[in-house]
Structures are given as structure tokens and as C-alpha cells.
Amino acid sequence: MPENNRTRLLIARKVPAAVAKRAETEFHAFVTDADMDSQSVVEFCKQHDVPAVLIGKKSGLQAEHIAALPASVKIIANASAGVDHMDVAFAKARGIVVTNAPDALTECTADFSMLLVLAACRRASEYERIMRQGWGKSFGMTEMLGMRVNGKTLGIVGFGRIGRAVARRAQGFGMRVIYTDIQRAAPEVENGATFYSSFEDMLPHCQVLTLHVPGGGVPLMTKKEFGLLPKGAVFVNAARGGLVDEDALYEALTSGHLFGAGLDVYRNEPNVDPRFAGLDNVFLTPHMASATVETRDQMGFTALDNVAAVLDGRPALNRV
């Protein structure tokens, strides 16, 4: 195949049409019509000597897969912010650049986090179910009451791009914002939010708590941390399911310690613990925080921008 028509990029996950069109035009990319698995990615790269790969969760590359990649591969691009589906350190050791798309998801994820806050506080799941069942009964002044959002204290764990964007939205709803992170943000970035150096010290002050940190091996929220929240608090998670001990969360929701929860992520996706579906005080969504046309296009375009930079000999825009 002539060099100017050579496939320079494998897109191993299904992407929006606009992203696929650009990839085909700019890189003569092979674009899959269904998410490939890790071994299929390795075999394709061996057969076609492509210098760039765009992967997703199903096509995640661990050490054994990266070790099997041909020397032609220069960059593994991710169209998401998280890279927990691959071994970044091993890729770096092989001289392969790994990139992500940290800015693309910020605004939509922050919007969605506020949706979860509002829906959990105002019992949206229950109200919507009542309407779909035909309503048919007026509610009195003391029935089906939610929790007012305005004036409440929102605790944010992780004050990065998304955490700060959530803070701005919460302040627009008249919420007081407190946060914890590895270090305090600059005053102009804090924008009136109050810093707690200790996660445990912050928890008793959180009438609503939302997580915005990367996932890890050990849960951040266990029975101890849920117990430190004030009675009647609301818990929100649009970050990673692995941050939460789901047995502890279920206990906190069923014991009445938590008023409710808004969840977009779970420990065993997509096979969610069925106990949560049976709870009226939980608003559940299927990992959709970034699911808008604009954001998914931007995620793909960011990955392609990184590929273009590396293949042109320039520094990656979003190197992990």
C-alpha cells in the first residue's frame, strides 16, 4: 500500500460519525463498527504496523497486551479522562505515549453531577414513577417531601477540573461549597469554597457529598466514612464505582442514615447490584455523565489531536 494511503490509526472502539469521518480522512484510519477486544487490537497492530491506536474499556491494554504490540506503535490514545483500563507505566517503559481527554468531559460531567444532586434531593425517581403509574392521588402538605438544595452544604472530594465546575454550578443554586484535596487550591480557583485538609474532618459538615477523584483499589467510602456524614445527607457518585463499598452504601440508605443517593457508576458495571434498583431513595443512571453529542465528539477529536501531534513529531497535548 502506498505510504500516503497507509493506515496510520486503528480506532478500536465505536466512535461518533464525525470522529470516524475525520479519522478516515486524516489518518486513513481503520474504524471498527463494534468495540474490539484487547487481543484483536494486538493482532491488528501486528498485521498492519499502525503507529497509533485509539482504545476503549473493552479494548483496554494491560502489560501482556502492550508487550505484544509491534515496535510500530507510538501512541495509545484514550477518548476519555480515565485510563484505568490500561497499564500506563508499562506503556511508558516501552516508549509508547499514552494520552487521554481530560478537558472534554468536564462541563457535561459537572452538569450531570448536579442532575444527580437535584434528583436525589428532590426524589425525582419516585415522582417520575408515580406519574408513569397514572398518579391518581393528590398528595398532602406532609407527603412525599424532598430535601431543599438551596442553602445546603455541598462537600466535594477532589477539586480538579470537574470538582471546580460542580462547585460553580452548586454556588448558582445557593449552596455552600466545601472541598478536600491533596492540597489547597489558589484563592481565585477556590472562588469562595472552603478547604479541608482532612477528608474525615470534612464529612460531618456535608449535607450533600459528591466524589470527583480517580478510582483506586481500596474504596474511599466505607461504613466508617458513611457514618461520619450527618444523618439525612445525600451521596452522589459520577466518578468511579470502585470508590464505594456498596454494602456500606446500601446499609446507609436502608437504615435511614442517608436521605438518598444519586449514582451513575458502580463497582460491577454493567451488572449492577440489584438491591439498589429496589430502593426508592436512589436515583440511578447507567454511566452516562458524558453522554451528549457535543462531548462525545469532543472526546474523539481530542484523541485525534493527540494522535496528530505525536505522529507529526510534536509533544502530545494530553500526555498521561
Side-chain angles (χ1 to χ4, degrees):
M1 184 180 292
E3 176 65 25
N4 62 346
N5 287 325
R6 186 169 70 86
T7 298
R8 303 174 69 214
L9 170 64
L10 165 63
I11 296 189
R13 67 180 305 181
K14 192 172 177 63
V15 295
V19 178
K21 182 178 180 180
R22 178 184 161 190
E24 290 164 345
T25 301
E26 211 170 304
F27 305 99
H28 297 283
F30 175 84
V31 182
T32 184
D33 57 3
D35 289 1
M36 296 170 65
D37 61 28
S38 307
Q39 193 56 45
S40 298
V41 170
V42 172
E43 293 305 318
F44 186 96
C45 291
K46 285 180 176 179
Q47 292 173 21
H48 299 278
D49 284 333
V50 293
V53 184
L54 191 159
I55 66 170
K57 188 172 183 179
K58 185 175 180 180
S59 51
L61 300 174
Q62 299 303 324
E64 64 269 25
H65 308 118
I66 297 169
L69 290 173
S72 61
V73 178
K74 306 299 180 188
I75 174 173
I76 300 171
N78 293 273
S80 59
V83 289
D84 47 347
H85 54 291
M86 65 173 297
D87 192 326
V88 176
F90 193 86
K92 288 181 178 180
R94 277 210 60 189
I96 299 174
V97 175
V98 177
T99 66
N100 66 347
D103 296 312
L105 298 85
T106 299
E107 300 304 327
C108 272
T109 301
D111 285 348
F112 206 85
S113 297
M114 280 307 300
L115 166 68
L116 295 176
V117 169
L118 293 166
C121 288
R122 294 303 306 272
R123 302 176 70 161
S125 181
E126 294 173 87
Y127 295 168
E128 201 262 354
R129 192 178 305 116
I130 287 168
M131 295 306 296
R132 288 189 182 275
Q133 292 173 350
W135 194 3
K137 171 188 178 297
S138 295
F139 293 103
M141 192 173 180
T142 62
E143 295 179 280
M144 295 299 295
L145 305 185
M147 188 174 94
R148 177 174 170 173
V149 171
N150 177 273
K152 294 296 188 293
T153 297
L154 173 68
I156 297 176
V157 183
F159 210 61
R161 295 175 181 86
I162 296 172
R164 296 194 299 269
V166 171
R168 293 193 299 272
R169 286 158 174 76
Q171 288 166 335
F173 278 87
M175 301 186 82
R176 173 178 176 248
V177 176
I178 60 179
Y179 76 96
T180 187
D181 209 326
I182 296 172
Q183 60 185 14
R184 183 172 182 175
E188 63 272 18
V189 174
E190 279 188 332
N191 192 33
T194 300
F195 173 65
Y196 279 79
S197 59
S198 166
F199 174 48
E200 292 183 359
D201 288 347
M202 184 184 79
L203 289 175
H205 304 280
C206 301
Q207 292 166 299
V208 183
L209 180 72
T210 181
L211 307 184
H212 299 288
V213 291
V218 179
L220 178 69
M221 296 298 299
T222 68
K223 183 174 182 178
K224 174 185 176 183
E225 285 75 28
F226 282 117
L228 289 171
L229 289 170
K231 183 175 173 58
V234 165
F235 173 70
V236 165
N237 188 14
R240 285 289 185 268
L243 294 167
V244 179
D245 176 338
E246 291 187 343
D247 289 332
L249 173 58
Y250 182 81
E251 181 182 339
L253 286 163
T254 54
S255 68
H257 185 68
L258 290 182
F259 177 81
L263 307 175
D264 187 48
V265 291
Y266 312 88
R267 292 195 68 85
N268 188 29
E269 299 180 11
N271 302 307
V272 179
D273 186 330
R275 293 180 298 173
F276 291 110
L279 299 181
D280 287 334
N281 60 340
V282 184
F283 184 82
L284 303 167
T285 55
H287 203 149
M288 287 292 172
S290 67
T292 65
V293 172
E294 298 88 346
T295 292
R296 293 291 169 86
D297 280 351
Q298 187 181 353
M299 289 165 65
F301 291 149
T302 299
L304 296 184
D305 289 342
N306 279 295
V307 170
V310 171
L311 296 190
D312 288 346
R314 296 179 282 116
L317 305 177
N318 307 105
R319 187 166 188 159
V320 178

